[in-house]
Amino acid sequence: MVVDTLNVLSQRRQWLTLVTLLIGLLIGLGLVSNRQWQVPLNIGLEEGINNDAPFVVGFNAGEQLPDRSARYRWSSLNAELRFPYVAQRNYWLDLPQLTGNPASLIIGTSQFSSTAGRVLHVLLPADAAGKVAIKVEQPIATDDPRELGAAFSGGQLSSSGWAWPALWPTLAWLFLLTTLGLSVLWLGGSSLEIGLAVGLTGLGIVAATWFAPLRASYAAPAVAQTTLYGLAALLLLRWALPPMLQRLGLEVNRDVLRWLILATVLVWSLKLGGRLLLEHMPGDIGFHRNRIHATNLGDLFRPSRHRGIDFPYPPVLYALLQPLTLTGISAEWLLQLTAAACEALALPVLFCLGLRATGSQRGSLLGAIIYGLVPAGFMTNAWSFDSHIFSQFVALLLAAFMVWTWEHWHERRNWLWITLGLSTIALGHFGFYLNTGLMGGLLVLWLWWRGPRSQGWALLFSLVATQVLVWAVYYSSFIGLFLQQGQSFAEGGMNAVNQREAVPRMQLLWDMIELGFWRHYGLLPVLIAPFGWWLARKHRGLQLVAGATFVVSLVLAAFPIINGSTITTRWLMFSAWAIALTTGIALDWLWQRTRWGRWPAILITSGCAIFGMIIWFAAMVYKIRPPEPF
């Protein structure tokens, strides 16, 4: 009776927390929506803070004046400025026209004229504030093949008067927070967890509406769609993950399972939802779309170029996705779904790997969260390195399987799975093919030296079978390319191959530290990981596979510094799983052994996650390019 009463009171407290926070969101949105703001439109600025990309339609690419004093865009004959889902209130639009033919601005039923050298200052009424049509009667006379009407630069939109919060953004934010709160409640979360999840998210929403009101408004459809995708992932994980863990013989308490599911859904939602925003950073999505179309046409052996060097670009991802294009789903969306799914599913895979090897639920959870939310993963998604993301996920699956079946690699079924994993990576990404091949070779040498040799022989046979297979079906087509590059390397080193000047070694070393260790991981996980690897010595399989991964990464990190080249095999991303898991192991040790150890563990994990999300939002909202992953 007492227990039932406590449960009822706890549930009431949870519901009260959720309802209170939702009401707080409405109050907060009501307050910030009535702030008088001025937002620069920066017409002509295509990338960066307050760029114009979401607001201009029918304009040509941005250009810069010869004296670099301003940027501008030429409109076509029919262009428009759009401000979707803004609050119903009056706005003032300042729009300078640099040059070009006279333009007509149509706002609702009103029409205004703009001419060269004039700054138009017009009132946008509440019932027509979302769209400003720009029409030019005829293009300017020029040899330029583009349709050039009028050139506009800068610009500003200012709010005026009182308003209720914008309807659709408010409904989207409420839908997001309600779904989040109910999800935490359904998974057994406490009122504190509901308060943290919903409260911090709500605070972020209010802050976004305060600092970026136009962008917070146009994000409404993306927020609603992302919430639906996240809810679908949550239901699937809640249904599938517990029996899978049970079948694997892993016991996980309810609290850890809840955080694992929520972290997985968060990674999925962020990395897919960012692609739903207007005018996000496209990355290489067009390149991969063209590769899928080339695969459809049977063009599988076309090389690609990386920093001046031609190299094979294996097609296994495109071959796997090609049949799905027959469903009518666009190639771009298939690629983005696959990338987000690989990044999200990596969390339960890494968690299972850590739990199997160490027995620590908390350490495995921390490692999985760090892996999913450090900037490195957001960088690969921002650049849309889709074949890289797929191959990195397969490499994680291979590492997990090798640790899981340690001392049983020689069994036929395990040997075949290892060979399949190595072959899939080799036919998925050339850089990861080199990385995993070196890792496998290093493990073979170590096992021959220290034993058990049966494992070394089994892995050697897998490596040989992989080479025979992938060279027979793919890489033999590039023998001539490899021979030519080998001759160039023998004559003048790597810089003779890519025909570029050598980069100073100190510059490469600094880039490795600043753009690599710091910008990829926030530096601390890289410093903590060696201690975590030492703590993992109780499970020899994990220590060997992670250790070989680290050694390969260090060797490949030193290679560009030695030869002055910027060529990378994505060595730092190759070791991401090992860095994250060993960091989680070290943080768990700190949590258990010291009185205040939980706070550094929480702060480091949270700091990595916040750093990663800043990188992601900067790329998706403002098209700010992060460093290219190493």
Side-chain angles (χ1 to χ4, degrees), residues 140-355:
I140 64 171
T142 177
D143 295 333
D144 195 312
R146 298 174 299 170
E147 185 179 76
L148 304 180
F152 296 95
S153 175
Q156 179 177 274
L157 189 70
S158 306
S159 64
S160 175
W162 182 90
W164 289 101
L167 176 61
W168 292 115
T170 301
L171 292 178
W173 297 128
L174 282 175
F175 180 40
L176 169 63
L177 288 192
T178 303
T179 304
L180 176 60
L182 293 178
S183 299
V184 178
L185 178 61
W186 181 50
L187 293 174
S190 65
S191 58
L192 176 61
E193 290 171 315
I194 293 174
L196 286 173
V198 178
L200 292 177
T201 306
L203 186 62
I205 292 169
V206 173
T209 307
W210 177 279
F211 291 107
L214 291 181
R215 283 173 163 78
S217 295
Y218 82 68
V223 171
Q225 292 179 65
T226 301
T227 304
L228 289 174
Y229 283 118
L231 181 59
L234 178 80
L235 295 174
L236 180 62
L237 286 169
R238 183 63 183 86
W239 168 73
L241 193 55
M244 289 180 62
L245 293 172
Q246 186 176 7
R247 185 171 181 180
L248 292 172
L250 301 175
E251 295 185 4
V252 182
N253 68 52
R254 191 178 184 185
D255 293 337
V256 171
L257 179 63
R258 175 171 61 255
W259 281 98
L260 177 62
I261 292 175
L262 290 174
T264 304
V265 172
L266 176 62
V267 171
W268 159 261
S269 301
L270 285 174
K271 295 184 179 180
L272 186 63
R275 295 296 179 186
L276 297 171
L277 289 171
L278 293 172
E279 298 295 337
H280 57 264
M281 176 181 165
D284 287 350
I285 191 67
F287 169 83
H288 295 288
R289 177 198 61 219
N290 294 338
R291 283 280 172 173
I292 288 182
H293 295 329
T295 302
N296 292 343
L297 299 174
D299 186 3
L300 306 177
F301 301 100
R302 178 174 300 187
S304 185
R305 173 160 290 197
H306 173 63
R307 299 177 183 178
I309 296 182
D310 291 332
F311 65 100
Y313 211 94
V316 72
L317 173 63
Y318 315 123
L320 292 173
L321 294 181
Q322 187 272 338
L324 297 178
T325 60
L326 301 177
T327 63
I329 303 175
S330 68
E332 291 93 336
W333 191 233
L334 284 172
L335 288 163
Q336 290 161 358
L337 284 170
T338 302
C342 288
E343 290 286 288
L345 292 175
L347 271 71
V349 171
L350 189 61
F351 174 81
C352 292
L353 165 60
L355 185 56

Side-chain angles (χ1 to χ4, degrees), residues 306-307 379 383 385 515 520 568 570 625-630:
H306 173 63
R307 299 177 183 178
M379 289 178 184
W383 284 102
F385 288 168
L515 299 179
H520 281 61
T568 174
R570 308 283 186 242
R625 302 183 184 189
E628 187 174 324
F630 285 23

Side-chain angles (χ1 to χ4, degrees), residues 370-515:
I370 291 172
Y371 181 88
L373 294 174
V374 289
F378 288 110
M379 289 178 184
T380 53
N381 275 266
W383 284 102
S384 197
F385 288 168
D386 298 317
S387 59
H388 168 139
I389 294 168
F390 171 76
S391 299
Q392 183 173 329
F393 178 62
V394 178
L396 172 60
L397 289 174
L398 176 63
F401 186 79
M402 292 177 71
V403 173
W404 200 280
T405 59
W406 168 245
E407 295 187 340
H408 297 279
W409 296 349
H410 58 281
E411 296 178 8
R412 182 180 180 183
R413 181 179 61 180
N414 297 336
W415 179 87
L416 289 173
W417 278 112
I418 292 173
T419 304
L420 176 63
L422 290 169
S423 302
T424 304
I425 294 168
L427 295 174
H429 189 273
F430 187 59
F432 274 81
Y433 168 42
L434 299 177
N435 296 336
T436 51
L438 290 172
M439 182 195 75
L442 186 62
L443 283 172
V444 168
L445 293 176
W446 180 268
L447 291 170
W448 278 353
W449 178 38
R450 302 297 296 270
R453 291 198 171 187
S454 61
Q455 301 291 90
W457 282 111
L459 183 56
L460 176 62
F461 291 148
S462 288
L463 289 170
V464 171
T466 297
Q467 304 311 312
V468 171
L469 174 64
V470 301
W471 279 82
V473 302
Y474 187 72
Y475 285 104
S476 57
S477 300
F478 298 93
I479 290 177
L481 175 64
F482 292 145
L483 291 175
Q484 179 183 357
Q485 291 175 343
Q487 182 179 359
S488 298
F489 182 82
E491 293 174 354
M494 184 59 70
N495 294 295
V497 180
N498 62 6
Q499 298 180 353
R500 295 187 180 186
E501 295 293 329
V503 180
R505 290 186 174 88
M506 290 306 298
Q507 179 63 47
L508 289 169
L509 180 61
W510 175 250
D511 287 345
M512 181 178 67
I513 296 172
E514 198 269 330
L515 299 179

